[in-house]
Amino acid sequence: MGEIKAEPFAFPVKHDQLALIVIDMQRDFAEPGGFGASLGNDVSRISRIVPDVKRLIQGFRYAGLPVIHTMECHRPDLSDLPPAKRNRGNPVLRIGDEGPMGRILVAGEPGTAILPELAPVDGEVVIEKPGKGAFYATGLGEVLQHKGIKQLVFAGVTTEVCVQTTMREANDRGYECLLAEEATESYFPEFKAAAIAMIRAQGAIVGWTAHVDDILESIAHA
Ligand code: TIU
């Protein structure tokens, strides 16, 4: 068993039980005309983490460790979209509406796709999720159990919404969680900083946080 340099203290890594989970690196959150932009956000922040997410994915692939991708999206008939989610806020376009990249956050539409630089390769699991957390109403728990995964490295967007929600779900299910700091982003820099601080506070109450270089250094020796 090795260690990854992390906060609030070293992460006790078990490489044979470790997977990377990349949360919602979709065009809908990163490009103009998508869901993130429809909520009034500056989406340019999201694209800036693509190189760090990419080298993390490549490191896991090279080490032969699982890479799991998630996508926030809904069925075309919107039967998995509660009115409470569709009607939230005051967006320009709502989930299911036709936008410049197709229907907002609907499975199979161009805007819902994972960014091409980070696209899954053959054999990688892609979890389509209707909620902010990746365990709710998905098969993620069974996939992890089947693969013998007990530790998760997290990347993706947004830090305080889908990433943190999934980390909390995972924490309650007994997984040890490590967030890759440069490979996650928020539309609000202060929310990213706050999420990182609250995740690792109180002796890693939700999980650890680490730099991408330190994670890659560890798995290079896996
Ligand atoms: N993936 C994810 O975080 N979904 C969101 O809706 N995030 C926002 O910050 N809006």
Side-chain angles (χ1 to χ4, degrees):
M1 188 176 81
E3 287 184 340
I4 299 176
K5 183 168 174 264
E7 296 289 344
F9 44 80
F11 182 80
V13 67
K14 298 170 198 127
H15 290 124
D16 58 341
Q17 300 177 10
L18 186 72
L20 173 65
I21 179 158
V22 184
I23 305 283
D24 301 358
M25 288 301 296
Q26 297 162 250
R27 298 181 65 199
D28 251 312
F29 295 106
E31 295 185 19
F35 181 60
S38 83
L39 300 171
N41 295 307
D42 168 14
V43 295
S44 66
R45 302 186 58 79
I46 305 300
S47 315
R48 280 183 230 142
I49 66 164
V50 167
D52 279 314
V53 180
K54 187 166 183 175
R55 63 201 187 93
L56 199 53
I57 290 174
Q58 285 174 333
F60 272 75
R61 283 178 186 156
Y62 192 73
L65 300 179
V67 177
I68 296 166
H69 307 257
T70 72
M71 302 170 70
E72 183 175 350
C73 59
H74 295 273
R75 296 186 198 130
D77 66 2
L78 306 184
S79 58
D80 58 356
L81 175 63
K85 183 174 180 184
R86 176 165 155 86
N87 296 333
R88 191 73 51 84
N90 189 22
V92 184
L93 291 168
R94 292 185 187 280
I95 297 171
D97 289 350
E98 191 71 39
M101 297 192 287
R103 294 178 69 198
I104 300 282
L105 281 195
V106 167
E109 298 289 329
T112 309
I114 292 174
L115 294 170
E117 305 94 308
L118 306 177
V121 298
D122 277 353
E124 290 177 353
V125 172
V126 180
I127 300 286
E128 296 191 353
K129 63 184 186 61
K132 302 305 183 193
F135 286 85
Y136 168 68
T138 72
L140 178 59
E142 286 79 12
V143 167
L144 297 177
Q145 208 167 8
H146 183 70
K147 290 181 182 290
I149 300 302
K150 301 208 166 92
Q151 298 187 324
L152 293 168
V153 172
F154 282 82
V157 296
T158 61
T159 318
E160 81 281 12
V161 183
C162 290
V163 176
Q164 185 175 204
T165 302
T166 304
M167 287 185 78
R168 287 175 182 276
E169 286 184 326
N171 193 56
D172 284 350
R173 285 165 173 78
Y175 296 93
E176 290 176 312
C177 299
L178 176 67
L179 176 61
E181 289 187 39
E182 301 86 356
T184 184
E185 194 48 274
S186 167
Y187 299 119
F188 307 90
E190 67 275 26
F191 289 175
K192 173 177 174 176
I196 286 173
M198 67 179 80
I199 282 165
R200 68 189 183 202
Q202 306 183 66
I205 192 94
V206 177
W208 288 252
T209 69
H211 295 296
V212 169
D213 281 341
D214 291 323
I215 298 168
L216 289 175
E217 222 263 326
S218 166
I219 62 170
H221 304 124

